[in-house]
Amino acid sequence: MGIIQLMDEPLSNKIAAGEVVERPTSVVKELVENAIDAGSTAIEVLLIEAGLTSIQIIDNGAGMDADDALLSFSRHATSKIANEHDLFRIRTLGFRGEALASIASVSKVTLHTSDGVSGTFVQMEGGRLTEHRAGSLRKGTDIKIDQLFFNTPARLKYMKTLQTELGHTIDLLNRFALSYPGIAFKLTHDGRTILQTSGSGEIKRVLADIYGVAIAKKMIPFEGQSHDYKVSGYASLPEITRANKNYISLFVNGRWVKHYAIANTVHRAYHTFLPLERQPIVVLNIEGDPYLTDVNVHPAKQQIRLSKEKELMELIYETIRRTISTVVRAPVIDKPKPVKKAPTKQLDLWKSSFTVQEPKQPLPDNAAEEWHELPVEKEREAIKLDPVPIEEKLPPLDEPEEDDSPQFPELEVVGQIHGTYIVAQSSDGFYLIDQHAAQERIKYEYFREKVGEIDSDERQSLLLPLTFHYSRDEALRLKDHLDVLSDSGVFLEEFGETSFIVREYPTWFPKGFEQEVIEDLIEQVLTERKVDVKKLREDAAIMMSCKRSIKANHFLQKHDMERLLADLKRAEQPFTCPHGRPVIIHFRTYDVEKMFKRVMN
């Protein structure tokens, strides 16, 4: 007896705050939702130090009278639902009545509100009322949250950098602006305006405010309807892609939600239109009877359950697919053209089974000096596998010492299969070598070494700098990781609030892929939750090695193949490519003779 006791209200509110108030963005979300529910047409958010010092929300909504202003800070006080049946037809963003109580319990709150008839001023600290009096008659609500988590300092250690915390809030306001284009939103940080929308009601204008005019012009409207649901929004042309699904914004009856299955359906609608592992930019609004949705399944109300989900997925897929199909034709895969047989050359017993196929355009005699860079103890020249010589050329360097490692066999080139696999023989059988995977391994080790030691003497200056544009939250994250990018060879310079320029890049960047490599490295920084220099360098080396390696159906001359195998032998790990696929497969003489019944066993 006497062990179990009721918690007092301040303690229970602090515990509730642990679920509702995770970071400054959580406070902004709850207060902006209240402002939207109050019928506001203009909402201003003012932050100091990303909201950790101060968060102020000013709206022109309905406001509250004196009694409601006090009651709103009580736990589970709400104007949105009166009984359990209302839970199944919720059309407002807030409804639980715990946000203000939770926020007030871990901060210092100042509230000015008026319904146009009377004005009220309320001040609270740590959940306790410190002042209550008459206030201004300006209709609407002005609420300020100071010193968030001042009485729960343990929560502060989980906060990220100010740029990261601000990025979360910018992303949140972007979603609100897309969901409610008829509301004029303004976000100010430390006195500087970061986001401002007109409230004109045009989603495309909001898209331009968030992503820029160039991307907004390439967003296509779509609309579809079934018996239960209506879907509408904007979808990007396939040429506009991102690395993750975070750019797919989903709204159900005006509420921004996260729904894995719907996001996958949107991506599936772009099948055959997008490169592998790329995602579109999509704003998807779903409207339906509130009885078909359950929004009371998550403390932050960001997850939702849907009835007739399968039918909704089909509607989304067909609507977006049909829209994209009208503006872009799916690529047609042509039948491969027949390859003319080249004259065969009689070789020894093993060579008699294969042919050496010469390119249609013979390689020049000095092609062996114009190929690719190698990852050996010292840089060296190498052969070029393209049938047409290119301008890229490395200065001749000293030859490395031969590697007598017994792990890699002594191989004699026999020929090539389908312009993809090199056939070689040794005393114990024959080998198939994937030429793309082989050069990928060679290039990977070269770039891995280069990325690890950025040398100012190996930089190519540009007459016209490359320019890159990003949304505001992306730009903030990039500014936080400029040093990480420079350590990987990407030298970004700020060029305005949301733009960056590159004036130079390392000379060893894959020729012809420089801008693509820079964009891919930036995307990795934006998509990684925790940016690690070592991992970024590793990913950069793998990406560049793949882009610069020979592909399938590329016919080589015999001396090109011999040089490739010699370079492969010097690699630290010649048997797998950077992605883990095998480079070389061995067929033993005994096994071949057994298949032809030359030996019995």
Side-chain angles (χ1 to χ4, degrees), residues 466-470 474-475 477-487 489-495 499-505 518-519 521-523 525-526:
L466 301 175
T467 306
F468 303 87
H469 305 282
Y470 294 92
E474 291 172 328
R477 183 162 172 76
L478 285 179
K479 291 174 184 178
D480 225 18
H481 295 94
L482 292 179
D483 55 338
V484 176
L485 286 165
S486 63
D487 286 342
V490 177
F491 311 110
L492 281 185
E493 295 178 27
E494 296 183 33
F495 190 66
S499 299
F500 299 84
I501 59 173
V502 171
R503 300 182 188 273
E504 58 181 8
Y505 52 74
I518 293 171
E519 289 176 341
L521 289 176
I522 291 174
E523 281 289 336
V525 169
L526 292 174

Side-chain angles (χ1 to χ4, degrees), residues 148-351:
L148 184 63
F149 302 130
F150 81 99
N151 55 354
T152 53
R155 298 295 301 277
L156 291 173
K157 69 180 181 181
Y158 295 104
M159 297 298 104
K160 306 298 182 182
T161 66
L162 293 182
Q163 297 279 29
T164 300
E165 296 299 333
L166 178 59
H168 286 299
T169 303
I170 294 174
D171 182 55
L172 174 71
L173 264 295
N174 287 345
R175 314 282 184 170
F176 276 129
L178 288 170
S179 182
Y180 294 92
I183 298 177
F185 288 95
K186 184 177 181 180
L187 172 62
T188 304
H189 179 250
D190 291 345
R192 182 168 60 95
T193 299
I194 294 178
L195 174 69
Q196 186 164 10
T197 63
S198 64
S200 65
E202 298 180 21
I203 296 181
K204 207 155 189 177
R205 282 199 175 185
V206 179
L207 287 168
D209 291 332
I210 296 173
Y211 298 115
V213 175
I215 289 181
K217 287 181 177 178
K218 296 183 179 181
M219 300 292 290
I220 310 300
F222 62 85
E223 187 173 354
Q225 190 167 359
S226 67
H227 180 72
D228 297 297
Y229 291 104
K230 178 183 179 181
V231 298
S232 62
Y234 281 81
S236 63
L237 291 173
E239 62 194 77
I240 305 297
T241 67
R242 292 294 185 264
N244 60 63
K245 293 186 177 73
N246 193 49
Y247 297 85
I248 300 176
S249 299
L250 308 176
F251 305 100
V252 178
N253 290 336
R255 183 188 303 277
W256 172 42
V257 299
K258 297 178 180 179
H259 198 288
Y260 181 80
I262 293 179
N264 275 352
T265 299
V266 171
H267 180 255
R268 188 165 57 88
Y270 276 81
H271 181 59
T272 73
F273 295 138
L274 290 183
L276 290 175
E277 299 181 357
R278 301 297 293 180
Q279 303 289 339
I281 299 176
V282 173
V283 177
L284 172 61
N285 293 297
I286 303 171
E287 298 177 29
D289 193 310
Y291 276 100
L292 297 174
T293 64
D294 183 0
V295 298
N296 192 30
V297 296
H298 188 269
K301 304 186 291 290
Q302 284 192 334
Q303 296 177 13
I304 192 169
R305 290 196 183 100
L306 295 165
S307 299
K308 299 187 177 181
E309 189 172 286
K310 183 179 179 181
E311 291 82 353
L312 174 60
M313 302 301 175
E314 291 176 355
L315 174 63
I316 294 171
Y317 175 84
E318 293 297 336
T319 302
I320 297 179
R321 182 76 178 180
R322 182 176 62 251
T323 301
I324 299 301
S325 299
T326 61
V327 293
V328 177
R329 286 186 58 191
V332 178
I333 301 176
D334 296 324
K335 293 182 180 179
K337 297 180 180 179
V339 180
K340 296 181 180 179
K341 293 184 178 180
T344 59
K345 185 183 299 182
Q346 293 298 322
L347 303 172
D348 58 20
L349 179 62
W350 280 105
K351 296 181 183 177

Side-chain angles (χ1 to χ4, degrees), residues 104 130 322 356 414 502 538 576:
T130 58
R322 182 176 62 251
V356 178
V414 174
V502 171
E538 174 76 3
T576 61

